[in-house]
Amino acid sequence: GNLSPGAARVQLISYKQQIERGQVSFEQMAKQHSQDTSSAEGGDLGWVGPGSFVPEFEEAMDQLPLNGISNPVASRFGIHLIQVLERRTVDTSLT
């Protein structure tokens, strides 16, 4: 759809509230409404390292508690709801 950013934000807030009330899962919402390539996977972007996303997206993602859902985040790619399912620390030191 060609929603204005304001309308898209309002819609995402309502999706977030429905997810938080347990009326629908994040995955179901993503499958039905996401317009990016992750929609078939229920919005799952897989494991990502730092620097994988635009700064606005990463900043919101980094502040979320596990399983928390962000408020709508605007980037040059659109407006996003983000949920962090797991975090892992990878030791990349060279010894």
Side-chain angles (χ1 to χ4, degrees):
N2 294 320
L3 292 174
S4 71
R9 189 176 290 274
V10 167
Q11 204 168 47
L12 285 178
I13 288 171
S14 94
Y15 294 167
K16 176 182 176 176
Q17 289 167 342
Q18 290 174 55
I19 296 165
E20 288 177 337
R21 286 198 296 261
Q23 294 170 313
V24 67
S25 73
F26 189 97
E27 292 79 3
Q28 287 168 316
M29 275 294 180
K31 280 187 173 154
Q32 283 173 21
H33 303 291
S34 181
Q35 291 169 3
D36 72 20
T37 54
S38 73
S39 61
E41 307 297 324
D44 192 343
L45 298 170
W47 288 105
V48 292
S52 303
F53 298 117
V54 291
E56 306 91 325
F57 194 102
E58 293 233 339
E59 203 171 290
M61 186 173 70
D62 290 344
Q63 289 170 4
L64 281 172
L66 285 185
N67 299 312
I69 299 172
S70 70
N71 286 317
V73 177
S75 81
R76 66 174 180 265
F77 297 108
I79 300 184
H80 321 276
L81 278 185
I82 306 167
Q83 182 181 41
V84 174
L85 298 176
E86 290 182 81
R87 283 198 168 93
R88 68 180 177 195
T89 304
V90 179
D91 184 355
T92 56
S93 59
L94 300 171
T95 50

